[in-house]
Amino acid sequence: MPTFGFHPYPAVVFQAANDLAYFHATTVASLDSQVKPHEYAPADADYNHPLPRTWSQSMNFNLHATDGAARAGAITTAHGTVETPIFMPVGTQATVKGLTPEMVRGVGAQIILGNTYHLTLRPGDELIRDLGGLHHFMNWPHPILTDSGGFQVFSLAEKRKITDHGAEFRSHLDGRLLELTPEKAVDIQQNLGSDIAMVLDECPPADAPPDVLRNALRRTTLWAERCRAHHTHPTQAQFAIVQGGLNLELRAESAAALIPMDFPGYALGGFSVGEKPEEMHAALPACAALLPATKPRYLMGVGRPQDLLIAVAAGIDMFDCVMPTRSGRNALAFTDTGPVKLRNAKHKRDPAPLMSGCDCDCCRNYSRAYLHHLFNAEEMLGPTLLSLHNLAYYLRLMREARTAILAGRFREFTETQTRGWS
Amino acid sequence: MPTFGFHPYPAVVFQAANDLAYFHATTVASLDSQVKPHEYAPADADYNHPLPRTWSQSMNFNLHATDGAARAGAITTAHGTVETPIFMPVGTQATVKGLTPEMVRGVGAQIILGNTYHLTLRPGDELIRDLGGLHHFMNWPHPILTDSGGFQVFSLAEKRKITDHGAEFRSHLDGRLLELTPEKAVDIQQNLGSDIAMVLDECPPADAPPDVLRNALRRTTLWAERCRAHHTHPTQAQFAIVQGGLNLELRAESAAALIPMDFPGYALGGFSVGEKPEEMHAALPACAALLPATKPRYLMGVGRPQDLLIAVAAGIDMFDCVMPTRSGRNALAFTDTGPVKLRNAKHKRDPAPLMSGCDCDCCRNYSRAYLHHLFNAEEMLGPTLLSLHNLAYYLRLMREARTAILAGRFREFTETQTRGWS
């Protein structure tokens, strides 16, 4: 049974954990030792029924409206409700770079992402657990999703060796030899105490040959099963990841293998890994349609504002990407009339706000000339203000998309918005 | 007459400027061309009278209480009132590094300092004037004091040549050949539109030989006179700077030369320039006593918390120093039990706040372990949170000093506070 109840969670979380732990202990936990998790969620389950309250499903998803394939819904977690479609700011190292949690919340963030790979290396997931979990550690009492660390092992770590057992690699920080198995990825995320955890997956590059894609898919399925079986956290939901690159047959095969395991949510991995945006756009509707309609659908690591709208149109509910914050730190801002490069000398004397009509603190209080000055003088406030604006922009885009879906005018909204960018 | 009324000040400032400009135009401006400024403020003026409303005296200073030599008062400027003793956070390049103006205000800052040297190099004082002045440019609608640029010319600029005419130097940024004369220092600060401007002074190092000190003093007096004569900004007060190093005779000579010019405030320059803290402490009471009792007294570039209390005891009202923000960026925090180095490994697992009892956002929301992690991971939020705490600490120290002075228990307050630090 979970060791989590014994760690110093903030009181409200502790109560929620207790409620669910009680349910778990009396109703479902006993099944755990007798049957494989996926055995009580058959492949032909009717996905239009409410989610069964099985042991990992401490999360609820309600679909409020659809407009074509686009969906407006709400995910309820132990730390609050998230209205979808939603963009999740990336807080890699237990902080959204350059912003306080109050600022992140202030621009409308409802859920943020933490990185398993980075946090297990530094400061360590056991340390975070001992200090009350990631929410308490970083002062973000709202929902958190953590990735599994797989993507970073493939993109950042050195001398990695992948077998069916797991990944062996050296830390990009100090060269330490480390191992990430499906079970370890679950343990780390349970220590972090996120509301949504991701299974460990193998994420090959877009140009990987079919046999590599196929093997990654096989391994991802195997690892998902092991993650599902190892998971015990009472208030954490676990999402599976469908791989298969741009090959729709492989995507269908991956989804067909994962759906019977009855995860509370499903993600599309392996996009934004080197393919052309148009290739991803073309593949998204079919890929999204492979995922259960009654569960949240998360497109990992995507993307630009236009990518988000195209993905929402395809039926995606959740997004994360470093783009708004990383671009913000590099003086690139997203606006309704397209990207603005604040380092450009043409802004030197411009008294206009970055984007007129934007209600974020950056646009309400400062001129383009001031923002240009901050980047020119290498002042920290430049990255802070532009990260703030870009997140406000992304989050508003998703709020407005939601409103449009609820009103049945998502296509018009997308067309108007897209015209501004071009 | 001032060109200032024609620039896009925020409405409230514009109104204040107009009110004073009217007064200026009808009552005093005509004197300007006929008499030297200091001629209508004789050397034997009674300093216990309220300040005469002469053209540069758009500022009021009221003394609310004294406790020994320590003073509690209030300075009223066109942008609001400042309760003294006060610490002024340093906003060198039109931003207090790492903090939004809301954060700076939130920790109790009433007035900040801007740097003439840095701002004239980048983005340029005329640009700032054209964009509505420094308050509007940086979104700080409260009082601002600007230095004269002299100290930076002596400490940062390259290949400088000083004559009675002024300073010729090369920019430390791009090597441009530039000139800073007393008149130019006034023009720049009038363009910036600060509430309090400093005269150009020559600030020799602590170990300068007597003839260098004496010549710097002579030049500072000469330049003060030229600054006074050149000044026209209707809502800006100009402060003189007393030099003389640790030599009390020279300090007395400097004060005696400057006081008849009837500046609205007086500063002590040439401290914290390489002398031992104890040497400064010993010199302060006599130096502060040289300055008019009815006017604000400003100790430039000082210092540590203990230096501030010693200076307040000597009768100083205003301070500025990069120490709280610069130390904060380097993981050093000031607390009631002395400095804390957050990079130290002993904080790695410490769930305690940086300083218990501190009501700043850093201490209320985060553990030492989290702050340690932020610096270890080189996250921007570390410098931000520690700058915030250190400013909160300095500003609270001055607020509590004020309360103690008003209650006649400043000595006890200082003793208690100082015991904690040792």
Side-chain angles (χ1 to χ4, degrees):
Chain A
M1 260 302 290
T3 49
F4 301 93
F6 303 98
H7 293 293
Y9 282 98
V12 59
V13 183
F14 190 73
Q15 187 53 46
N18 266 358
D19 292 346
L20 281 150
Y22 177 76
F23 170 80
H24 176 155
T26 54
T27 318
V28 185
S30 56
L31 291 173
D32 205 7
S33 52
Q34 299 163 27
V35 295
K36 295 275 182 219
H38 69 263
E39 287 179 347
Y40 48 88
D44 58 352
D46 180 352
Y47 289 110
N48 289 318
H49 283 151
L51 291 177
R53 282 182 67 92
T54 51
W55 55 270
S56 67
Q57 283 154 348
S58 52
M59 188 200 82
N60 281 311
F61 177 64
N62 291 303
L63 207 51
H64 296 157
T66 56
D67 184 5
R71 299 139 51 94
I75 303 168
T76 301
T77 76
H79 287 87
T81 294
V82 175
E83 296 195 319
T84 60
I86 190 73
F87 178 80
M88 303 184 282
V90 176
T92 302
Q93 300 190 112
T95 163
V96 176
K97 289 191 192 300
L99 302 175
T100 65
E102 292 78 15
M103 288 172 166
V104 177
R105 189 67 175 172
V107 294
Q110 301 181 44
I111 175 170
I112 62 170
L113 182 140
N115 282 110
T116 282
Y117 172 84
H118 288 96
L119 293 172
T120 190
L121 292 187
R122 192 170 60 185
D125 50 286
E126 292 181 356
L127 183 149
I128 290 178
R129 177 200 62 200
D130 294 348
L131 288 164
L134 185 56
H135 297 83
H136 187 65
F137 185 63
M138 69 181 292
N139 188 34
W140 177 261
H142 315 293
I144 297 177
L145 179 147
T146 45
D147 66 8
S148 67
F151 185 77
Q152 279 73 29
V153 167
F154 297 111
S155 60
L156 283 180
E158 287 155 23
K159 296 189 185 173
R160 60 186 171 276
K161 197 178 111 189
I162 321 282
T163 65
D164 281 358
H165 176 63
E168 218 182 66
F169 61 95
R170 289 193 178 277
S171 156
H172 76 291
L173 294 175
D174 57 9
R176 260 186 304 161
L177 189 66
L178 296 161
E179 190 187 59
L180 188 65
T181 63
E183 291 76 15
K184 181 86 181 139
V186 170
D187 289 340
I188 294 168
Q189 293 179 84
Q190 294 194 144
N191 283 338
L192 297 175
S194 53
D195 299 278
I196 301 175
M198 302 304 295
V199 299
L200 187 64
D201 64 328
E202 186 178 340
C203 180
D207 57 359
D211 60 318
V212 172
L213 283 177
R214 184 170 294 277
N215 195 44
L217 189 159
R218 179 192 62 79
R219 194 170 275 152
T220 294
T221 306
L222 178 74
W223 286 358
E225 202 160 354
R226 281 164 58 192
C227 284
R228 189 82 165 102
H230 193 70
H231 188 259
T232 57
H233 194 298
T235 67
Q236 182 182 70
Q238 205 179 39
F239 280 22
I241 305 175
V242 168
Q243 287 287 353
L246 294 168
N247 183 321
L248 286 181
E249 270 178 50
L250 289 182
R251 288 274 175 190
E253 200 177 304
S254 178
L258 294 168
I259 289 171
M261 298 186 210
D262 193 26
F263 282 90
Y266 285 85
L268 296 175
F271 281 116
S272 246
V273 289
E275 81 281 12
K276 289 183 188 144
E278 298 72 31
E279 294 178 301
M280 177 180 73
H281 298 168
L284 279 176
C287 289
L290 294 170
L291 308 180
T294 52
K295 300 186 177 185
R297 297 160 169 176
Y298 163 28
L299 178 58
M300 303 182 78
V302 173
R304 301 167 304 167
Q306 54 267 49
D307 298 326
L308 266 60
L309 288 191
I310 286 166
V312 168
I316 299 293
D317 309 304
M318 304 167 70
F319 304 91
D320 80 284
C321 191
V322 294
M323 194 169 280
T325 39
R326 183 174 290 165
S327 297
R329 293 197 301 282
N330 289 298
L332 183 86
F334 295 95
T335 76
D336 275 350
T337 50
V340 174
K341 293 179 182 172
L342 270 307
R343 282 194 213 277
N344 193 310
K346 74 178 175 188
H347 303 299
K348 190 173 165 62
R349 299 185 159 269
D350 189 346
L354 168 54
M355 176 179 146
S356 61
C358 177
D359 64 354
C360 86
D361 278 352
C362 173
C363 292
R364 282 195 302 110
N365 296 324
Y366 306 96
S367 60
R368 290 184 176 204
Y370 183 66
L371 298 171
H372 174 81
H373 163 66
L374 290 178
F375 280 99
N376 200 27
E378 295 180 357
E379 282 286 353
M380 288 168 69
L381 191 58
T384 292
L385 291 178
L386 246 57
S387 297
L388 188 83
H389 166 79
N390 283 346
L391 284 186
Y393 190 76
Y394 268 63
L395 286 156
R396 183 173 48 230
L397 185 68
M398 290 296 96
R399 277 198 309 277
E400 291 180 352
R402 188 174 199 279
T403 304
I405 293 164
L406 290 171
R409 51 169 186 77
F410 181 66
R411 178 189 287 270
E412 297 88 302
F413 169 72
T414 301
E415 282 172 358
T416 308
Q417 196 71 47
T418 307
R419 254 197 311 277
W421 290 329
S422 58
Chain B
M1 256 301 286
T3 48
F4 301 92
F6 303 102
H7 293 293
Y9 282 96
V12 57
V13 183
F14 189 71
Q15 187 51 47
N18 264 359
D19 292 344
L20 281 149
Y22 176 74
F23 171 82
H24 177 154
T26 53
T27 319
V28 185
S30 56
L31 290 173
D32 204 7
S33 53
Q34 298 162 29
V35 294
K36 294 274 180 217
H38 68 261
E39 288 179 345
Y40 48 87
D44 59 351
D46 180 353
Y47 290 111
N48 290 320
H49 282 150
L51 291 177
R53 282 182 66 94
T54 51
W55 55 271
S56 67
Q57 282 152 350
S58 52
M59 189 199 80
N60 282 311
F61 177 64
N62 290 303
L63 208 51
H64 297 157
T66 56
D67 183 6
R71 300 140 49 96
I75 303 168
T76 300
T77 76
H79 287 87
T81 295
V82 175
E83 295 195 319
T84 61
I86 190 70
F87 177 79
M88 303 184 282
V90 177
T92 302
Q93 301 190 113
T95 162
V96 177
K97 287 189 194 302
L99 302 176
T100 64
E102 292 78 15
M103 288 173 166
V104 177
R105 188 67 174 173
V107 295
Q110 301 180 46
I111 175 171
I112 62 171
L113 181 140
N115 281 111
T116 282
Y117 172 83
H118 288 95
L119 292 174
T120 189
L121 293 187
R122 194 171 56 187
D125 51 287
E126 292 180 357
L127 183 149
I128 290 177
R129 176 200 63 198
D130 293 346
L131 287 164
L134 186 56
H135 297 84
H136 187 65
F137 185 62
M138 70 182 293
N139 188 32
W140 177 261
H142 316 291
I144 297 177
L145 179 147
T146 44
D147 66 6
S148 67
F151 185 78
Q152 279 72 28
V153 167
F154 296 110
S155 59
L156 282 181
E158 287 155 23
K159 297 189 182 173
R160 59 188 172 275
K161 196 178 113 189
I162 321 284
T163 64
D164 282 357
H165 176 64
E168 218 181 65
F169 60 95
R170 290 194 178 274
S171 157
H172 75 291
L173 294 177
D174 57 9
R176 258 187 305 163
L177 188 67
L178 296 160
E179 190 187 59
L180 188 66
T181 63
E183 291 77 13
K184 180 84 182 142
V186 170
D187 289 339
I188 294 169
Q189 293 179 85
Q190 295 194 143
N191 283 339
L192 297 176
S194 53
D195 300 277
I196 301 176
M198 303 303 298
V199 299
L200 187 65
D201 63 329
E202 185 178 343
C203 179
D207 56 0
D211 61 318
V212 171
L213 283 178
R214 183 170 296 279
N215 195 43
L217 189 158
R218 179 191 61 78
R219 194 169 277 153
T220 295
T221 307
L222 178 73
W223 288 356
E225 202 160 352
R226 280 165 57 192
C227 285
R228 189 80 166 102
H230 193 70
H231 188 260
T232 56
H233 194 298
T235 65
Q236 182 182 69
Q238 205 179 41
F239 279 22
I241 305 174
V242 168
Q243 288 286 354
L246 294 167
N247 183 323
L248 286 180
E249 272 179 47
L250 290 182
R251 288 275 177 189
E253 200 175 302
S254 178
L258 294 169
I259 289 171
M261 298 186 208
D262 192 27
F263 284 90
Y266 285 85
L268 296 175
F271 282 116
S272 244
V273 290
E275 80 281 13
K276 290 183 190 148
E278 299 72 33
E279 294 178 300
M280 176 180 75
H281 298 169
L284 278 175
C287 290
L290 294 170
L291 309 181
T294 54
K295 299 187 178 184
R297 298 159 169 177
Y298 164 28
L299 179 57
M300 302 181 80
V302 174
R304 300 167 305 166
Q306 54 267 49
D307 298 325
L308 265 59
L309 288 191
I310 287 167
V312 169
I316 299 293
D317 308 305
M318 303 165 71
F319 304 91
D320 79 286
C321 191
V322 294
M323 192 167 283
T325 39
R326 183 174 290 168
S327 298
R329 292 198 301 282
N330 289 298
L332 184 86
F334 296 95
T335 77
D336 275 351
T337 50
V340 174
K341 293 178 182 172
L342 269 306
R343 281 194 214 275
N344 194 309
K346 75 177 174 189
H347 303 301
K348 188 172 166 59
R349 299 185 158 271
D350 191 346
L354 168 55
M355 176 180 149
S356 59
C358 176
D359 64 354
C360 85
D361 277 352
C362 173
C363 292
R364 282 194 303 110
N365 295 325
Y366 305 96
S367 60
R368 290 185 174 202
Y370 183 66
L371 298 171
H372 174 81
H373 162 66
L374 290 177
F375 281 100
N376 201 28
E378 296 180 354
E379 282 286 353
M380 288 167 69
L381 191 58
T384 292
L385 290 178
L386 246 59
S387 297
L388 188 83
H389 165 79
N390 283 346
L391 284 186
Y393 190 76
Y394 268 64
L395 286 155
R396 184 172 49 229
L397 185 69
M398 291 296 96
R399 278 199 308 276
E400 292 179 352
R402 187 172 201 279
T403 304
I405 293 163
L406 290 170
R409 51 170 185 80
F410 182 67
R411 179 188 288 269
E412 298 89 301
F413 168 74
T414 300
E415 283 171 358
T416 308
Q417 196 70 47
T418 307
R419 253 198 311 277
W421 290 329
S422 59

